[in-house]
Amino acid sequence: MLQVENLSVDFRVDSGWIRSVDEVSFALDAQSTLGIVGESGSGKSVTALSILRLHARRNTRMTGRIVFDGEDLLAMPERRLHEMRGRDIAMIFQDPMHSLNPVLTIGDQIGETLRIHQGLNRAAAEKAAAGLLDMVRIPDAKRRVTDFPHQLSGGMRQRVMIAMAIACRPRLLIADEPTTALDVTVQAQILDLLRDLREEIGMAVILISHDLGLVAEFAERVLVMYAGELVEDAPARNIFEAPAHPYSEGLLKAIPSADVDMHRLYAIPGRIPDPGDRPPGCNFAPRCALAQPACSATPPALDTLAPGHRIRCPVRLAAREPAA
Amino acid sequence: MTDATVPPAAARAPLSPGAARRRILMRRLWRHRSFRLGAVILLVIVLMALAAPLLSNGEPTKMNLRARFAPPSADFIFGADNFGRDIFTRVLYGARISLWIGFASAMLAAAGGALVGLASAWYRRLDGVIMRIMDALLAFPAILLAIGINAALGPQVSSVIIALAAAYVPRMARIVRAAALVVRELDYVDAARVSGASAGRIIFRHILPNCLAPLIVSLTFVFAYAILAEAALSFLGIGPPPPQPSWGNIIAEGRDYSVEAWWIMLFPGLAISLAALGTNLLGDGLRDVLDPRLKIEA
Amino acid sequence: MPRLIAFRIAQAIPVMFVVAVLTFLLMHMLPGDPATLIAGDMADQDAIAQVRRDLGLDRPVLAQLWLWITNLAQGDFGKSLMLNQPVAEAVWERLPVTLSLALVAFVITIPVGIVLGVVAAVWRDTWVDSAVMFLALIGVSVPNFWIAILSVILFSVTLGWLPSSGYVPMGTDFWRWLASLIQPATVLALFQIGYLARMTRSAMLDVLDQDYIRTARAKGVSPRKTILKHAFRNTLMQVVTVSGYILSLLIGGSVVIEQIFAMPGIGRLLVQAIMARDYPVVQGTMLMLGFAFVFINIVIDLIYAYVDPRVRYD
Ligand SMILES: Nc1ncnc2c1ncn2[C@@H]1O[C@H](COP(=O)(O)OP(=O)(O)OP(=O)(O)O)[C@@H](O)[C@H]1O
Ligand code: SF4
Ligand SMILES: [Mg+2]
């Protein structure tokens, strides 16, 4: 259903153009689930926003192809894109506190999606909005439609965002860190809700998070991003049980879990390089325990490790190949 | 009373005395188009004002009855007024007074505003009273306050400066107070307090430098307003008194002849506009670079 | 809402009190003896003493302040020397002129300033933006009394389209009222239009950067609707907060404009009083204007509270 081919995204900054996402390719089947993980700044959000072309055109350059149902979203005229946004592909964002318009009622904001794409009138849209609020398990939905966002808690607002996103039963839902800003118990509820809605509507979901554990649990397939590049693309089970890329390994070790003493919590040493000054060769080399001189010489390619499993690390590839 | 023109200045990176940081700021400023244009315009005006004796006949008050109402020509490039005084010379010398009034009142307003704002932010018990007084003053548009104060002090250069400065102190005080309140809560101020630094030292060494960015930005805009306000006061007859020229009083004197001898009032008006334009451009650049969160001029 | 109104009025009382004290002090920091000034340089000792007694200047300062405040509380703003009339009455008679001028200028400023600011923000970084912002910059840089003179030369003297001076009360003839105001009000508005356009542009850019605008785009709202419905309302909210300030500035600016167009308003009264050293009028006019500004601020705050759901519901 969705094929992303060699997607690169550059932003204009004071000193010129910087590459934020670099030659990313992946595919997604209808009704499937895909996770994207990586530390902050690895390019997850930029990738996700590219699918709906939500970057400011003024200072962004996108190359490659993003094919949805046979149409290239990047080459599509604006008008056609507006039709698809919210109807075929919907998105929810990281920060529910700021993602809703403070001066419009939530009923208006949810209903707007339906008014645009299904031509409902205001009253019908409002009524449908109440139904959607019900669907995302907001109690007393009928009364809530006239509320303003500031009257709701963070978790409730994210439910409103979800209601808005699923209003037209899209075929693809992109959820960019939908739970990061929420506290732990609410996080679990929101993920459960997403899981149930996915079943019910039969939509594909891209779930973005920096928590590999959460993503592996939710998605069938996981992409690991580092410094704008895809470094591993594998079935969730593989990533979780036997991550191949040293960076994925680090992410896995860094997952906080109940039985690990918080003090021994692992963190990958060093930090992600800025888009402006990435190292030559492998981006991860400065932080990688397995790094060899050759790693800093040439940028490694994304190669197939096993069917359906790609990694960007020649060292690991060489080590595993005989065994495979 | 919320003065909506002054958005709360949020925490910002301290303007550290590091020379490197200053150099980076200077480079970013210079790359800013409107800053560059404004700086050049102002510089030219200031240099012309300083070089007035060299550029003109050097006698702004010298009358020449034969040249009464002489239109612009090779001899009088801006023409002459009803007393035959050379307008070009008067505009150049007027620049000295007008720019001085603008500069002095902006600096005085900044100093006064900084003191009041810092006192208000640091001595919390004074805050209520001080801010009520500032609110009361802020209720008045600055020009009206300046008219009132100037009416009391009489028409002299010094009273115009005091009146304009006093009129802009409340705005500056609010800006400084907002910035200081943020800085006050930062760790290193606590650290300084714990280590026994005196209040004065903390305020002037640690807090004030962090309020400088918004202060400098609004100082620039106040300079522009003060030039315009001086002109308005002079026009109303309560500015610097003739015959010494200020941009405002040249226009006031030329007003009666504005139809027949338009040049008398045209050129000083252009000078005011250009000076204010240059200052505003400069201020826009300073704001964008030093304090992007400060949305509107003070 | 009623609670908010009560609260705002309660809050305004100390401010009005301070305004009253400040205007009192203003006239008492006069260099020299006001009684001598008022009675005139030629007056003899008796006349000066008489003036002093009339104005209560022979009493201690605090007693005078007390008298000033208690008189105010009874609606007595002092008595004009040159007009032989209570200050309140003199101001009241001239109020319609100044109010007409300021309000017409306000009605011009708000839509024009907002539209310019929005247009510049929407076409950000294009030539449209540059052109509009350059005009706005000119607006805040050019002295309005100077433009007023030029405008009179062009529209009144040369073209003869508009009256060059005077004021026609609305009751006399609405159209002539408007004609007498259109030129002064437009000139008066120029600065505020520039100010508002600059402020609206930056507010709008700020709003366009917000997450909820991205949300709107993500659900397929057209660019036009995104701007008109989602961004514009939030921008207006910020414009409301400065509109009181703009109205105050317009009233302040009318002092100068009334001089040029010979309009018998409060500003004219104030300047005449300053020239005639009619200090009670200066004092009383300043004070009444101060009260008016406090009142405007309250009204704006209440409007804001009404239009912003975040405040309305708390
Ligand atoms: N509009 C922009 N202009 C310039 N640089 C940008 C822009 N948006 C993102 N970037 C840069 O692109 C890189 C990737 O950012 P992105 O938001 O995709 O990270 P992320 O993986 O989503 O991280 P997080 O977990 O913090 O959301 C970052 O270095 C960021 O600074
Ligand atoms: S290529 Fe080298 S540096 Fe990069 S991840 Fe593999 S081993 Fe580490
Ligand atoms: Mg992100």
mmCIF file of all heavy atoms in Angstrom, chain C residues 201-241:
data_model
loop_
_atom_site.group_PDB
_atom_site.id
_atom_site.type_symbol
_atom_site.label_atom_id
_atom_site.label_comp_id
_atom_site.label_asym_id
_atom_site.label_seq_id
_atom_site.Cartn_x
_atom_site.Cartn_y
_atom_site.Cartn_z
ATOM 1 N N ARG C 201 1.315 40.760 11.987
ATOM 2 C CA ARG C 201 2.146 39.843 11.215
ATOM 3 C C ARG C 201 2.902 38.906 12.145
ATOM 4 O O ARG C 201 2.906 37.690 11.944
ATOM 5 C CB ARG C 201 3.140 40.616 10.346
ATOM 6 C CG ARG C 201 4.101 39.710 9.591
ATOM 7 C CD ARG C 201 5.095 40.533 8.781
ATOM 8 N NE ARG C 201 6.008 39.682 8.019
ATOM 9 C CZ ARG C 201 7.180 39.278 8.481
ATOM 10 N NH1 ARG C 201 7.566 39.610 9.689
ATOM 11 N NH2 ARG C 201 7.955 38.506 7.742
ATOM 12 N N SER C 202 3.524 39.461 13.171
ATOM 13 C CA SER C 202 4.327 38.574 13.999
ATOM 14 C C SER C 202 3.433 37.640 14.817
ATOM 15 O O SER C 202 3.772 36.477 15.027
ATOM 16 C CB SER C 202 5.319 39.355 14.858
ATOM 17 O OG SER C 202 4.705 39.846 16.005
ATOM 18 N N ALA C 203 2.260 38.133 15.228
ATOM 19 C CA ALA C 203 1.336 37.254 15.945
ATOM 20 C C ALA C 203 0.880 36.116 15.031
ATOM 21 O O ALA C 203 0.819 34.952 15.420
ATOM 22 C CB ALA C 203 0.129 38.042 16.447
ATOM 23 N N MET C 204 0.578 36.465 13.785
ATOM 24 C CA MET C 204 0.090 35.473 12.834
ATOM 25 C C MET C 204 1.179 34.437 12.532
ATOM 26 O O MET C 204 0.900 33.241 12.473
ATOM 27 C CB MET C 204 -0.324 36.188 11.543
ATOM 28 C CG MET C 204 -0.917 35.285 10.503
ATOM 29 S SD MET C 204 -2.672 35.046 10.803
ATOM 30 C CE MET C 204 -3.125 34.101 9.377
ATOM 31 N N LEU C 205 2.394 34.903 12.354
ATOM 32 C CA LEU C 205 3.484 33.958 12.080
ATOM 33 C C LEU C 205 3.651 33.013 13.257
ATOM 34 O O LEU C 205 3.884 31.811 13.095
ATOM 35 C CB LEU C 205 4.797 34.713 11.835
ATOM 36 C CG LEU C 205 4.891 35.439 10.500
ATOM 37 C CD1 LEU C 205 6.236 36.131 10.367
ATOM 38 C CD2 LEU C 205 4.687 34.461 9.352
ATOM 39 N N ASP C 206 3.511 33.584 14.435
ATOM 40 C CA ASP C 206 3.602 32.776 15.635
ATOM 41 C C ASP C 206 2.521 31.693 15.655
ATOM 42 O O ASP C 206 2.778 30.529 15.917
ATOM 43 C CB ASP C 206 3.408 33.717 16.825
ATOM 44 C CG ASP C 206 4.148 33.246 18.032
ATOM 45 O OD1 ASP C 206 5.306 32.838 17.854
ATOM 46 O OD2 ASP C 206 3.562 33.272 19.122
ATOM 47 N N VAL C 207 1.310 32.117 15.331
ATOM 48 C CA VAL C 207 0.201 31.169 15.316
ATOM 49 C C VAL C 207 0.413 30.108 14.227
ATOM 50 O O VAL C 207 0.199 28.917 14.458
ATOM 51 C CB VAL C 207 -1.136 31.910 15.106
ATOM 52 C CG1 VAL C 207 -2.255 30.933 14.810
ATOM 53 C CG2 VAL C 207 -1.468 32.747 16.327
ATOM 54 N N LEU C 208 0.853 30.552 13.052
ATOM 55 C CA LEU C 208 1.038 29.599 11.954
ATOM 56 C C LEU C 208 2.075 28.526 12.301
ATOM 57 O O LEU C 208 2.117 27.467 11.689
ATOM 58 C CB LEU C 208 1.458 30.338 10.675
ATOM 59 C CG LEU C 208 0.346 31.135 9.999
ATOM 60 C CD1 LEU C 208 0.899 31.919 8.826
ATOM 61 C CD2 LEU C 208 -0.775 30.209 9.540
ATOM 62 N N ASP C 209 2.904 28.838 13.280
ATOM 63 C CA ASP C 209 3.942 27.898 13.714
ATOM 64 C C ASP C 209 3.442 26.890 14.737
ATOM 65 O O ASP C 209 4.165 25.990 15.123
ATOM 66 C CB ASP C 209 5.069 28.704 14.375
ATOM 67 C CG ASP C 209 6.360 28.562 13.617
ATOM 68 O OD1 ASP C 209 6.302 28.026 12.509
ATOM 69 O OD2 ASP C 209 7.398 28.984 14.150
ATOM 70 N N GLN C 210 2.221 27.098 15.200
ATOM 71 C CA GLN C 210 1.725 26.263 16.291
ATOM 72 C C GLN C 210 1.349 24.862 15.808
ATOM 73 O O GLN C 210 0.998 24.658 14.659
ATOM 74 C CB GLN C 210 0.487 26.912 16.931
ATOM 75 C CG GLN C 210 0.756 28.276 17.530
ATOM 76 C CD GLN C 210 1.669 28.187 18.734
ATOM 77 O OE1 GLN C 210 1.481 27.339 19.596
ATOM 78 N NE2 GLN C 210 2.680 29.041 18.784
ATOM 79 N N ASP C 211 1.381 23.919 16.764
ATOM 80 C CA ASP C 211 1.049 22.539 16.440
ATOM 81 C C ASP C 211 -0.372 22.383 15.904
ATOM 82 O O ASP C 211 -0.615 21.566 15.030
ATOM 83 C CB ASP C 211 1.206 21.663 17.694
ATOM 84 C CG ASP C 211 2.660 21.452 18.047
ATOM 85 O OD1 ASP C 211 3.517 21.829 17.238
ATOM 86 O OD2 ASP C 211 2.935 20.910 19.128
ATOM 87 N N TYR C 212 -1.311 23.189 16.420
ATOM 88 C CA TYR C 212 -2.688 22.948 15.989
ATOM 89 C C TYR C 212 -2.921 23.346 14.544
ATOM 90 O O TYR C 212 -3.863 22.884 13.908
ATOM 91 C CB TYR C 212 -3.701 23.616 16.924
ATOM 92 C CG TYR C 212 -3.502 25.097 17.150
ATOM 93 C CD1 TYR C 212 -3.922 26.025 16.210
ATOM 94 C CD2 TYR C 212 -2.923 25.560 18.326
ATOM 95 C CE1 TYR C 212 -3.753 27.375 16.428
ATOM 96 C CE2 TYR C 212 -2.747 26.902 18.551
ATOM 97 C CZ TYR C 212 -3.165 27.814 17.602
ATOM 98 O OH TYR C 212 -3.001 29.154 17.807
ATOM 99 N N ILE C 213 -2.060 24.178 14.008
ATOM 100 C CA ILE C 213 -2.167 24.494 12.588
ATOM 101 C C ILE C 213 -1.734 23.262 11.777
ATOM 102 O O ILE C 213 -2.351 22.904 10.772
ATOM 103 C CB ILE C 213 -1.278 25.705 12.243
ATOM 104 C CG1 ILE C 213 -1.798 26.946 12.962
ATOM 105 C CG2 ILE C 213 -1.243 25.933 10.736
ATOM 106 C CD1 ILE C 213 -3.213 27.334 12.593
ATOM 107 N N ARG C 214 -0.692 22.605 12.252
ATOM 108 C CA ARG C 214 -0.260 21.374 11.590
ATOM 109 C C ARG C 214 -1.366 20.328 11.667
ATOM 110 O O ARG C 214 -1.641 19.623 10.701
ATOM 111 C CB ARG C 214 1.008 20.862 12.286
ATOM 112 C CG ARG C 214 1.729 19.799 11.516
ATOM 113 C CD ARG C 214 2.973 19.356 12.240
ATOM 114 N NE ARG C 214 2.632 18.925 13.610
ATOM 115 C CZ ARG C 214 3.543 18.667 14.538
ATOM 116 N NH1 ARG C 214 4.818 18.807 14.297
ATOM 117 N NH2 ARG C 214 3.166 18.266 15.741
ATOM 118 N N THR C 215 -2.036 20.268 12.813
ATOM 119 C CA THR C 215 -3.148 19.326 12.940
ATOM 120 C C THR C 215 -4.215 19.601 11.886
ATOM 121 O O THR C 215 -4.703 18.681 11.231
ATOM 122 C CB THR C 215 -3.783 19.444 14.344
ATOM 123 O OG1 THR C 215 -2.777 19.266 15.326
ATOM 124 C CG2 THR C 215 -4.879 18.415 14.521
ATOM 125 N N ALA C 216 -4.539 20.880 11.736
ATOM 126 C CA ALA C 216 -5.569 21.234 10.761
ATOM 127 C C ALA C 216 -5.137 20.818 9.355
ATOM 128 O O ALA C 216 -5.917 20.243 8.598
ATOM 129 C CB ALA C 216 -5.848 22.737 10.814
ATOM 130 N N ARG C 217 -3.882 21.095 9.032
ATOM 131 C CA ARG C 217 -3.418 20.713 7.705
ATOM 132 C C ARG C 217 -3.443 19.207 7.538
ATOM 133 O O ARG C 217 -3.777 18.688 6.472
ATOM 134 C CB ARG C 217 -1.995 21.253 7.474
ATOM 135 C CG ARG C 217 -1.940 22.783 7.533
ATOM 136 C CD ARG C 217 -0.799 23.350 6.725
ATOM 137 N NE ARG C 217 0.490 22.828 7.133
ATOM 138 C CZ ARG C 217 1.437 22.450 6.291
ATOM 139 N NH1 ARG C 217 1.230 22.525 4.997
ATOM 140 N NH2 ARG C 217 2.576 21.991 6.740
ATOM 141 N N ALA C 218 -3.090 18.496 8.611
ATOM 142 C CA ALA C 218 -3.024 17.037 8.516
ATOM 143 C C ALA C 218 -4.389 16.420 8.280
ATOM 144 O O ALA C 218 -4.500 15.331 7.742
ATOM 145 C CB ALA C 218 -2.410 16.455 9.786
ATOM 146 N N LYS C 219 -5.457 17.121 8.676
ATOM 147 C CA LYS C 219 -6.753 16.498 8.423
ATOM 148 C C LYS C 219 -7.367 16.985 7.126
ATOM 149 O O LYS C 219 -8.506 16.667 6.824
ATOM 150 C CB LYS C 219 -7.694 16.666 9.618
ATOM 151 C CG LYS C 219 -8.087 18.055 9.959
ATOM 152 C CD LYS C 219 -8.904 18.034 11.262
ATOM 153 C CE LYS C 219 -9.341 19.438 11.607
ATOM 154 N NZ LYS C 219 -9.928 19.544 12.937
ATOM 155 N N GLY C 220 -6.617 17.755 6.363
ATOM 156 C CA GLY C 220 -7.065 18.085 5.019
ATOM 157 C C GLY C 220 -7.752 19.421 4.881
ATOM 158 O O GLY C 220 -8.384 19.690 3.870
ATOM 159 N N VAL C 221 -7.656 20.265 5.897
ATOM 160 C CA VAL C 221 -8.235 21.598 5.784
ATOM 161 C C VAL C 221 -7.454 22.378 4.726
ATOM 162 O O VAL C 221 -6.227 22.340 4.702
ATOM 163 C CB VAL C 221 -8.162 22.334 7.143
ATOM 164 C CG1 VAL C 221 -8.786 23.711 7.038
ATOM 165 C CG2 VAL C 221 -8.846 21.519 8.229
ATOM 166 N N SER C 222 -8.176 23.084 3.853
ATOM 167 C CA SER C 222 -7.498 23.802 2.770
ATOM 168 C C SER C 222 -6.684 24.958 3.352
ATOM 169 O O SER C 222 -6.985 25.446 4.438
ATOM 170 C CB SER C 222 -8.529 24.355 1.794
ATOM 171 O OG SER C 222 -9.268 25.371 2.432
ATOM 172 N N PRO C 223 -5.667 25.389 2.622
ATOM 173 C CA PRO C 223 -4.833 26.486 3.136
ATOM 174 C C PRO C 223 -5.655 27.722 3.481
ATOM 175 O O PRO C 223 -5.418 28.376 4.484
ATOM 176 C CB PRO C 223 -3.887 26.776 1.963
ATOM 177 C CG PRO C 223 -3.848 25.528 1.170
ATOM 178 C CD PRO C 223 -5.182 24.876 1.333
ATOM 179 N N ARG C 224 -6.637 28.024 2.639
ATOM 180 C CA ARG C 224 -7.451 29.206 2.883
ATOM 181 C C ARG C 224 -8.197 29.098 4.216
ATOM 182 O O ARG C 224 -8.216 29.994 5.027
ATOM 183 C CB ARG C 224 -8.463 29.348 1.746
ATOM 184 C CG ARG C 224 -8.740 30.768 1.316
ATOM 185 C CD ARG C 224 -9.682 30.736 0.146
ATOM 186 N NE ARG C 224 -10.957 30.165 0.586
ATOM 187 C CZ ARG C 224 -12.088 30.854 0.622
ATOM 188 N NH1 ARG C 224 -12.095 32.098 0.222
ATOM 189 N NH2 ARG C 224 -13.204 30.302 1.046
ATOM 190 N N LYS C 225 -8.807 27.931 4.395
ATOM 191 C CA LYS C 225 -9.574 27.698 5.614
ATOM 192 C C LYS C 225 -8.645 27.625 6.822
ATOM 193 O O LYS C 225 -9.005 28.038 7.915
ATOM 194 C CB LYS C 225 -10.348 26.384 5.447
ATOM 195 C CG LYS C 225 -11.589 26.261 6.288
ATOM 196 C CD LYS C 225 -12.850 26.616 5.531
ATOM 197 C CE LYS C 225 -14.043 26.744 6.473
ATOM 198 N NZ LYS C 225 -14.653 25.465 6.848
ATOM 199 N N THR C 226 -7.482 27.072 6.618
ATOM 200 C CA THR C 226 -6.526 26.996 7.725
ATOM 201 C C THR C 226 -6.232 28.402 8.237
ATOM 202 O O THR C 226 -6.217 28.662 9.438
ATOM 203 C CB THR C 226 -5.206 26.347 7.267
ATOM 204 O OG1 THR C 226 -5.492 25.109 6.645
ATOM 205 C CG2 THR C 226 -4.273 26.119 8.438
ATOM 206 N N ILE C 227 -6.034 29.302 7.291
ATOM 207 C CA ILE C 227 -5.700 30.665 7.690
ATOM 208 C C ILE C 227 -6.914 31.381 8.259
ATOM 209 O O ILE C 227 -6.864 31.963 9.337
ATOM 210 C CB ILE C 227 -5.116 31.427 6.484
ATOM 211 C CG1 ILE C 227 -3.693 30.925 6.229
ATOM 212 C CG2 ILE C 227 -5.134 32.914 6.713
ATOM 213 C CD1 ILE C 227 -3.169 31.228 4.868
ATOM 214 N N LEU C 228 -8.035 31.311 7.549
ATOM 215 C CA LEU C 228 -9.191 32.095 7.966
ATOM 216 C C LEU C 228 -9.843 31.558 9.232
ATOM 217 O O LEU C 228 -10.293 32.311 10.076
ATOM 218 C CB LEU C 228 -10.222 32.165 6.836
ATOM 219 C CG LEU C 228 -9.756 32.984 5.633
ATOM 220 C CD1 LEU C 228 -10.846 33.069 4.585
ATOM 221 C CD2 LEU C 228 -9.348 34.389 6.073
ATOM 222 N N LYS C 229 -9.884 30.240 9.351
ATOM 223 C CA LYS C 229 -10.582 29.709 10.523
ATOM 224 C C LYS C 229 -9.626 29.414 11.674
ATOM 225 O O LYS C 229 -9.841 29.845 12.794
ATOM 226 C CB LYS C 229 -11.327 28.433 10.135
ATOM 227 C CG LYS C 229 -12.042 27.773 11.308
ATOM 228 C CD LYS C 229 -12.894 26.599 10.865
ATOM 229 C CE LYS C 229 -13.485 25.896 12.075
ATOM 230 N NZ LYS C 229 -14.190 24.670 11.701
ATOM 231 N N HIS C 230 -8.575 28.678 11.388
ATOM 232 C CA HIS C 230 -7.734 28.208 12.494
ATOM 233 C C HIS C 230 -6.712 29.234 12.954
ATOM 234 O O HIS C 230 -6.477 29.385 14.145
ATOM 235 C CB HIS C 230 -7.038 26.908 12.100
ATOM 236 C CG HIS C 230 -7.982 25.761 11.999
ATOM 237 N ND1 HIS C 230 -8.175 24.864 13.019
ATOM 238 C CD2 HIS C 230 -8.818 25.374 11.007
ATOM 239 C CE1 HIS C 230 -9.076 23.966 12.658
ATOM 240 N NE2 HIS C 230 -9.480 24.258 11.432
ATOM 241 N N ALA C 231 -6.102 29.914 12.014
ATOM 242 C CA ALA C 231 -5.041 30.846 12.417
ATOM 243 C C ALA C 231 -5.600 32.218 12.766
ATOM 244 O O ALA C 231 -5.196 32.829 13.753
ATOM 245 C CB ALA C 231 -4.000 30.965 11.306
ATOM 246 N N PHE C 232 -6.558 32.687 11.988
ATOM 247 C CA PHE C 232 -7.016 34.063 12.142
ATOM 248 C C PHE C 232 -7.637 34.322 13.510
ATOM 249 O O PHE C 232 -7.375 35.319 14.157
ATOM 250 C CB PHE C 232 -8.006 34.397 11.031
ATOM 251 C CG PHE C 232 -8.394 35.830 10.997
ATOM 252 C CD1 PHE C 232 -7.431 36.812 10.803
ATOM 253 C CD2 PHE C 232 -9.708 36.221 11.172
ATOM 254 C CE1 PHE C 232 -7.780 38.147 10.787
ATOM 255 C CE2 PHE C 232 -10.064 37.551 11.150
ATOM 256 C CZ PHE C 232 -9.101 38.510 10.959
ATOM 257 N N ARG C 233 -8.456 33.375 13.953
ATOM 258 C CA ARG C 233 -9.118 33.586 15.241
ATOM 259 C C ARG C 233 -8.123 33.721 16.379
ATOM 260 O O ARG C 233 -8.288 34.539 17.278
ATOM 261 C CB ARG C 233 -10.024 32.402 15.553
ATOM 262 C CG ARG C 233 -11.279 32.439 14.769
ATOM 263 C CD ARG C 233 -12.320 31.609 15.467
ATOM 264 N NE ARG C 233 -13.340 31.209 14.515
ATOM 265 C CZ ARG C 233 -14.410 30.539 14.873
ATOM 266 N NH1 ARG C 233 -14.563 30.168 16.126
ATOM 267 N NH2 ARG C 233 -15.308 30.214 13.980
ATOM 268 N N ASN C 234 -7.105 32.877 16.327
ATOM 269 C CA ASN C 234 -6.104 32.942 17.388
ATOM 270 C C ASN C 234 -5.289 34.227 17.296
ATOM 271 O O ASN C 234 -4.863 34.767 18.316
ATOM 272 C CB ASN C 234 -5.184 31.728 17.334
ATOM 273 C CG ASN C 234 -5.872 30.494 17.889
ATOM 274 O OD1 ASN C 234 -5.957 30.328 19.094
ATOM 275 N ND2 ASN C 234 -6.391 29.651 17.017
ATOM 276 N N THR C 235 -5.094 34.695 16.069
ATOM 277 C CA THR C 235 -4.361 35.947 15.905
ATOM 278 C C THR C 235 -5.193 37.111 16.440
ATOM 279 O O THR C 235 -4.689 37.988 17.140
ATOM 280 C CB THR C 235 -4.043 36.179 14.424
ATOM 281 O OG1 THR C 235 -3.350 35.039 13.924
ATOM 282 C CG2 THR C 235 -3.168 37.400 14.237
ATOM 283 N N LEU C 236 -6.488 37.082 16.114
ATOM 284 C CA LEU C 236 -7.377 38.148 16.577
ATOM 285 C C LEU C 236 -7.333 38.303 18.084
ATOM 286 O O LEU C 236 -7.362 39.396 18.627
ATOM 287 C CB LEU C 236 -8.813 37.836 16.162
ATOM 288 C CG LEU C 236 -9.281 38.425 14.852
ATOM 289 C CD1 LEU C 236 -10.794 38.267 14.727
ATOM 290 C CD2 LEU C 236 -8.921 39.894 14.764
ATOM 291 N N MET C 237 -7.233 37.153 18.731
ATOM 292 C CA MET C 237 -7.171 37.145 20.188
ATOM 293 C C MET C 237 -6.043 38.044 20.689
ATOM 294 O O MET C 237 -6.187 38.766 21.658
ATOM 295 C CB MET C 237 -6.882 35.709 20.605
ATOM 296 C CG MET C 237 -7.615 35.253 21.810
ATOM 297 S SD MET C 237 -9.350 35.266 21.475
ATOM 298 C CE MET C 237 -9.526 33.590 20.994
ATOM 299 N N GLN C 238 -4.922 37.963 20.013
ATOM 300 C CA GLN C 238 -3.793 38.781 20.446
ATOM 301 C C GLN C 238 -3.985 40.235 20.039
ATOM 302 O O GLN C 238 -3.499 41.140 20.705
ATOM 303 C CB GLN C 238 -2.491 38.253 19.835
ATOM 304 C CG GLN C 238 -2.186 36.847 20.314
ATOM 305 C CD GLN C 238 -0.804 36.403 19.885
ATOM 306 O OE1 GLN C 238 0.160 37.149 19.957
ATOM 307 N NE2 GLN C 238 -0.711 35.166 19.425
ATOM 308 N N VAL C 239 -4.700 40.441 18.934
ATOM 309 C CA VAL C 239 -4.941 41.807 18.497
ATOM 310 C C VAL C 239 -5.857 42.526 19.499
ATOM 311 O O VAL C 239 -5.674 43.701 19.788
ATOM 312 C CB VAL C 239 -5.549 41.825 17.081
ATOM 313 C CG1 VAL C 239 -5.989 43.220 16.715
ATOM 314 C CG2 VAL C 239 -4.533 41.302 16.081
ATOM 315 N N VAL C 240 -6.833 41.773 20.031
ATOM 316 C CA VAL C 240 -7.738 42.378 21.011
ATOM 317 C C VAL C 240 -6.940 42.955 22.173
ATOM 318 O O VAL C 240 -7.211 44.057 22.644
ATOM 319 C CB VAL C 240 -8.751 41.334 21.531
ATOM 320 C CG1 VAL C 240 -9.516 41.886 22.723
ATOM 321 C CG2 VAL C 240 -9.708 40.936 20.434
ATOM 322 N N THR C 241 -5.913 42.241 22.598
ATOM 323 C CA THR C 241 -5.168 42.714 23.766
ATOM 324 C C THR C 241 -4.446 44.030 23.505
ATOM 325 O O THR C 241 -4.217 44.780 24.436
ATOM 326 C CB THR C 241 -4.129 41.680 24.248
ATOM 327 O OG1 THR C 241 -3.177 41.483 23.221
ATOM 328 C CG2 THR C 241 -4.766 40.372 24.607
#
